Amino acid sequence: MKKIAKLVLGLSLLAGSSLSASAAFAATAPAITTSSTIITTGSPYLKQLPYTSQGKIYGSVPKGTKLTVLENTNKYFVKVKYNGQTGYISTLFIKVTGGGTSTAPAPTPSKPETSGSSSATWSKQADSILSFAKSLEGKVQYGYAKNDTKNLIFDCSSFTKYVFNKEGIHLPWGARAQYKLGTPVSKNELRKGDLVFFSTTATAKNKDTVNKIGHVGIYIGNNKFIHNVNTKDDVVIGDLNNTWQKNHYVASARILK
């Protein structure tokens, strides 16, 4: 049993405290709230982004380091500041020592409540989400690994997160995490409000669907989608029939039920 635990832990460290390893330990995630005092029980990576395989790794935080949680980001990562650098560390390698009031594991964004929902409900939500997204054209700036709601600077997934949050639907930050949250749908089943996912140059070489994902947008209808694409174009409406989109399309997922 100890050998298995060590193997899983080793794989987690190798992957920069990956979500796959984190999921294996989900039941043991510590209780955390923003402003909690924590101590590292291992030497987690300090990461640029709160999900695996994307963004920089700034280094590792030594075991036994006391930190204050700046943001309870998701089930797998918390935001902290260490040696003047702000980043994210895995919840696998920390324990709460004070300041927190939660008695349950750090929350994982859950799927929107669908009990009793009607087609009119999801359609109305989709219209509201898309209307809001379109209203942000020319206002939002693209920033890699940014989730700045005050200055409206986002990457692709923090943009979709921000837009859906307007309807009270809380998505995690990260295109792959958003795909996992939704219900997969085929390309010919797409309807307004669905999320569409693409590979990037960096992720296209990966074999499985989740690891191929590197970009996300919101489907409008008629093969059109809106996304926060890059620093040159920011928020624009794209077309799934265009060459780049055809070559890089990976999957779609439904959030609105």
Side-chain angles (χ1 to χ4, degrees):
M1 200 66 181
K2 289 182 178 178
K3 288 182 179 179
I4 294 174
K6 287 181 179 179
L7 176 60
V8 174
L9 179 59
L11 289 172
S12 174
L13 285 169
L14 182 62
S17 304
S18 71
L19 288 178
S20 57
S22 297
F25 286 87
T28 61
I32 310 163
T33 60
T34 300
S35 80
S36 288
T37 300
I38 58 173
I39 188 168
T40 53
T41 58
S43 299
Y45 289 142
L46 183 67
K47 295 172 60 62
Q48 181 186 27
L49 302 176
Y51 40 90
T52 189
S53 302
Q54 296 182 43
K56 299 177 183 177
I57 294 175
Y58 298 122
S60 59
V61 180
K63 181 178 180 180
T65 302
K66 284 190 175 182
L67 301 164
T68 299
V69 175
L70 302 178
E71 177 185 87
N72 182 17
T73 307
N74 57 41
K75 191 173 187 177
Y76 308 104
F77 290 95
V78 292
K79 188 176 184 180
V80 298
K81 188 172 185 178
Y82 173 69
N83 275 356
Q85 178 65 63
T86 300
Y88 301 86
I89 61 173
S90 171
T91 57
L92 290 180
F93 307 106
I94 64 175
K95 69 177 181 180
V96 177
T97 60
T101 57
S102 174
T103 57
T108 301
S110 58
K111 295 184 180 181
E113 182 61 52
T114 59
S115 177
S117 63
S118 65
S119 59
T121 300
W122 75 257
S123 181
K124 185 176 179 181
Q125 286 182 316
D127 287 339
S128 179
I129 285 168
L130 290 168
S131 176
F132 182 51
K134 291 174 184 177
S135 76
L136 295 171
E137 290 185 78
K139 298 177 183 177
V140 160
Q141 296 179 47
Y142 181 91
Y144 179 71
K146 294 293 185 182
N147 183 23
D148 186 344
T149 58
K150 181 179 179 181
N151 296 302
L152 297 182
I153 304 173
F154 303 108
D155 62 15
C156 64
S157 64
S158 58
F159 173 70
T160 54
K161 178 179 184 293
Y162 179 72
V163 171
F164 271 77
N165 189 64
K166 186 80 159 59
E167 277 295 298
I169 299 169
H170 304 295
L171 301 182
W173 185 12
R176 295 173 185 177
Q178 290 177 7
Y179 173 74
K180 289 181 179 181
L181 180 68
T183 300
V185 293
S186 65
K187 200 173 185 180
N188 60 11
E189 294 175 317
L190 280 168
R191 70 186 190 192
K192 61 184 179 182
D194 288 343
L195 296 179
V196 285
F197 300 90
F198 305 87
S199 64
T200 63
T201 302
T203 65
K205 64 183 181 297
N206 295 324
K207 296 185 181 299
D208 67 283
T209 297
V210 174
N211 287 328
K212 272 184 176 294
I213 292 171
H215 185 67
V216 60
I218 308 168
Y219 189 68
I220 298 172
N222 297 319
N223 287 312
K224 300 292 195 297
F225 69 101
I226 188 166
H227 59 153
N228 192 22
V229 60
N230 55 42
T231 53
K232 178 183 177 182
D233 299 312
D234 302 315
V235 176
V236 293
I237 292 175
D239 192 322
L240 292 178
N241 290 325
N242 288 346
T243 301
W244 187 94
Q245 282 82 354
K246 278 185 175 180
N247 292 339
H248 288 268
Y249 174 84
V250 176
S252 305
R254 182 156 297 155
I255 301 296
L256 306 175
K257 305 295 178 65

